Amino acid sequence: MKKIGRINIIMLVLSAFVLICYLPYFCLVVFNGEAFTSCLIPFTVVVAASLPALLFIKYRDRLNRFFKSLRIVYISGMCFYFVTFLIFGTYIGICASVDADTAAEQFIKTDGSGEGDIVLVFGCRTYGYTPSWQLKSRLDTAYELLEALPDSVCIVSGGEGVNEGVAEAYSMCEYLVARGIDRERIYTEPDSTNTYENIEFSMALAEKKNLRYERVIGVSSDFHLPRVKYLFDYYDVWADVVSAPSRDFWQFFMSIVREYMAYVKLFLVTSF
C-alpha cells in the first residue's frame, strides 16, 4: 500500500472516532428538542470531522499543492482531539469517585448534624414535574445527604429550558418533598440556565435568605463534578462535591462528549 493510502486511512480512522463521539450526541440533542445552539455545536463538529476527509481523498489531485498542507492541518487537529479527549475522559473518571455514602460518613464524622451546611443540587433535564433519570440520580444522592445531615438545608438550582414545562428547581423541590424532606429545608433557585449561574444565583439566594453556612456540598452527576469544583473555586466558594452515578457507560460516555465542549467554553470564558 502506498504511503498516501496509509495516510488517508489514518484520516478516515480519526474522522470515524470523532463521528462515533458526536453523531449519536447530535441525534440525542435533536431528539430531546434542545435549544438550537445545543444542536449547532455537535452538528458543526460532525461536518468538520467528515467533510474534509472525504473532500481531501476524492479531490486531492485538484487540490494539488494545497493538499499536503490541508491534510497536515486536518490530521493535526484530529490527533489533538483524540489525545485530549482520552486524557480528559481519564481525568473525569478519576475525579468522579466521591459517592454519597462515603461523603455522608465523612461529613458525619466532622459534623454529625450538618448544621452550617448547604446541599446545593445542580439541575438538569426534567419532564414537567417528572425528573429525568439523570436528575433523579442527583436528587436521590441529595436525599441521602439530607437524611444523614438533618440540620443542613438544601438549594435546588435550575431554570426552565426551552423543552421543559416547568423550572427544574420546582420539579426538584417537589421530588424531595415527596420523598419526605421538609419543604422548609428546601430553597428553590429557578432562574439559572447553566452551571455558572447555578452557583452564582444560588449563592445570591443564600445571601438574600440570610442562610448562614460554613460549607457548601455540591451534588451533581459524576461526569459534571470536576467542572462544578472548578467553578466553585472560580467564584471563591469553599465547597465539597458529591457524585451522583450515571445510569450506564453509554450515558457516561455521551456526557463526557458534552463536557469536553463545555470545558472548551469554560476555558474561553474564564481565561479572557
Side-chain angles (χ1 to χ4, degrees), residues 5-264:
R6 289 196 297 268
I7 293 177
N8 285 336
I9 288 176
I10 292 173
M11 292 171 63
L12 290 174
V13 169
L14 292 172
S15 294
F17 174 78
V18 177
L19 289 174
I20 289 172
C21 291
Y22 279 92
L23 192 56
Y25 172 49
F26 172 66
C27 295
L28 183 63
V29 295
V30 171
F31 177 78
N32 286 336
E34 297 192 21
F36 174 75
T37 52
S38 298
C39 300
L40 181 61
I41 293 174
F43 174 76
T44 302
V45 173
V46 168
V47 172
S50 57
L51 190 58
L54 297 176
L55 290 176
F56 293 170
I57 293 173
K58 187 173 181 179
Y59 298 105
R60 62 177 181 270
D61 293 334
R62 297 183 184 181
L63 291 171
N64 199 7
R65 58 192 180 91
F66 294 106
F67 174 72
K68 186 175 182 180
S69 299
L70 291 171
R71 188 176 60 194
I72 291 174
V73 171
Y74 181 77
I75 292 179
S76 298
M78 292 295 100
C79 286
F80 176 80
Y81 174 80
F82 178 79
V83 173
T84 55
F85 183 84
L86 291 181
I87 294 174
F88 177 76
T90 303
Y91 167 72
I92 296 294
I94 293 173
C95 292
S97 58
V98 186
D99 61 61
D101 293 337
T102 303
E105 292 176 3
Q106 174 186 341
F107 297 151
I108 289 172
K109 288 179 181 179
T110 57
D111 183 358
S113 69
E115 184 177 0
D117 288 342
I118 293 178
V119 177
L120 171 55
V121 191
F122 291 79
C124 66
R125 178 67 187 271
T126 185
Y127 304 94
Y129 283 96
T130 302
S132 62
W133 196 98
Q134 187 169 288
L135 181 55
K136 182 178 180 295
S137 178
R138 298 181 187 186
L139 292 169
D140 288 341
T141 299
Y143 170 80
E144 296 296 330
L145 288 172
L146 292 168
E147 284 287 283
L149 305 171
D151 292 333
S152 63
V153 296
C154 179
I155 295 178
V156 287
S157 178
E160 181 179 343
V162 295
N163 54 350
E164 296 173 325
V166 65
E168 294 166 0
Y170 297 142
S171 176
M172 296 160 74
C173 177
E174 294 305 319
Y175 182 88
L176 289 173
V177 170
R179 288 213 60 182
I181 301 300
D182 189 341
R183 190 181 295 273
E184 293 183 356
R185 294 177 65 190
I186 306 172
Y187 297 84
T188 56
E189 184 290 293
D191 300 317
S192 56
T193 59
N194 54 50
T195 307
Y196 306 86
E197 293 179 352
N198 285 144
I199 296 175
E200 182 180 353
F201 294 176
S202 294
M203 293 301 96
L205 176 64
E207 183 176 354
K208 179 180 178 181
K209 297 295 184 179
N210 295 316
L211 299 179
R212 296 182 179 180
Y213 62 92
E214 297 177 0
R215 172 177 54 189
V216 176
I217 304 173
V219 178
S220 194
S221 300
D222 42 19
F223 59 83
H224 192 211
L225 284 190
R227 185 155 57 100
V228 167
K229 185 63 175 176
Y230 177 89
L231 286 171
F232 272 134
D233 293 338
Y234 179 75
Y235 283 106
D236 198 26
V237 177
W238 193 89
D240 289 311
V241 291
V242 177
S243 171
S246 297
R247 177 169 50 189
D248 50 37
F249 176 79
W250 181 246
Q251 183 192 52
F252 183 80
F253 180 78
M254 285 292 96
S255 300
I256 291 294
V257 171
R258 185 169 195 158
E259 281 294 293
Y260 183 93
M261 298 306 297
Y263 267 82
V264 173

